[in-house]
Amino acid sequence: FLALSSAKRDAQPVVVAASSTVDNNDLPVLFDLPAFKLLDQDGHEFTDAQLRGRPFVASFVFTHCAGPCPMMFGKMAAMQRTVPNPNIKLVTFTVDPERDTPEVLKKKAKELGADNDRWHFLTGDKDAVHKLLTDMKMPTPGPEDDPLMHTTAFYLFDAKGQCRGTYFST
């Protein structure tokens, strides 16, 4: 099972081998992955059903961000390298679907050396993305806020699609 260390500021992801001493039931269930239908970086339909059956780490970013997103992209790329198990997926959801089209996400995936079989970059229409953010308990902007406000946490999901933890990206 994948665990992300949050003990140190610059902690790297670690893999904990499933054994009789590790009980995944010790992790709380924060919420279930909601149903969704978006597009991946290749412009293909991508649904929540494609994530069930394997654990995954999710992040929420946008490609033209000058704030924390480049660091988050970098940490996801590091996870791809340091957690070599191909059954552990990585999913990056854009919070700016109007600019982050599949073509833009494909370019970003290429820049990051993303393995398309493991790391999925997802976008969709604005309403679908906003609904997903709300359903995933994400902070969403109020009328006075920056419309691209988002969490900088990584979300850990188990193979059943249950969110089992959130971890500070810093």
Side-chain angles (χ1 to χ4, degrees), residues 33-161:
L33 179 67
F36 69 83
K37 184 181 352 178
L38 297 172
L39 296 174
D40 69 11
Q41 66 268 28
D42 292 317
H44 300 128
E45 184 178 281
F46 194 99
T47 71
D48 58 290
Q50 290 168 263
L51 293 173
R52 299 187 192 276
R54 295 192 176 114
F56 68 95
V57 175
S59 64
F60 299 84
V61 295
F62 58 103
T63 59
H64 59 280
C65 175
C69 297
M71 175 270 305
M72 293 179 69
F73 278 124
K75 291 203 177 199
M76 289 288 276
M79 273 189 256
Q80 180 181 248
R81 289 188 307 275
T82 61
V83 182
N85 185 336
N87 290 319
I88 298 171
K89 302 298 183 183
L90 304 171
V91 183
T92 296
F93 295 94
T94 184
V95 297
D96 187 11
E98 292 176 329
R99 287 198 241 184
D100 287 343
T101 62
E103 296 80 18
V104 170
L105 293 177
K106 186 173 183 100
K107 180 179 177 189
K108 179 55 91 174
K110 186 175 181 179
E111 287 172 14
L112 295 167
D115 174 350
N116 285 341
D117 291 330
R118 279 191 74 198
W119 190 356
H120 307 282
F121 294 71
L122 303 180
T123 189
D125 69 54
K126 189 174 182 177
D127 290 339
V129 170
H130 182 76
K131 181 179 180 341
L132 177 66
L133 295 175
T134 302
D135 290 349
M136 289 182 73
K137 316 296 186 212
M138 297 285 299
T140 53
E144 310 301 315
D145 294 324
D146 180 344
L148 298 178
M149 178 184 81
H150 62 92
T151 183
T152 57
F154 294 109
Y155 286 59
L156 175 64
F157 286 84
D158 66 16
K160 295 177 186 174

